[in-house]
Amino acid sequence: RLFVSPAARGRGAGALLLRRAAAAARAAHRQPLLDVVDSDVAARALYERLGWRLLATARQEWDGGRTVTLHCFAAAG
């Protein structure tokens, strides 16, 4: 999981984290994938801006009977 402190947002920290995580996954011969909840609009916009492509959208039931919509993205290239 990757998180950026609200105080650090808008300074490129999220993009740097994603690039490093994707590079580490590729170095391990893995395809970089991620899920994001529908309500995290800013994160989804960042992934799209960085060229990640939407693979699927699905609803999932979490603990306590809460249902969320998740978007699955794959890193470009």
Side-chain angles (χ1 to χ4, degrees), residues 48-67:
E48 291 170 355
R49 210 169 39 250
L50 295 177
W52 289 64
R53 63 187 163 84
L54 180 64
L55 297 177
T57 298
R59 295 181 56 79
Q60 189 176 70
E61 189 171 317
W62 286 3
D63 288 338
R66 180 175 163 216
T67 301

Side-chain angles (χ1 to χ4, degrees), residues 1-4 14 17-18 21 47:
R1 291 185 181 188
L2 301 175
F3 297 94
V4 174
L17 281 171
L18 280 173
Y47 306 147

Side-chain angles (χ1 to χ4, degrees), residues 4-14 49:
V4 174
S5 165
R9 290 181 186 155
R11 299 180 183 180
R49 210 169 39 250

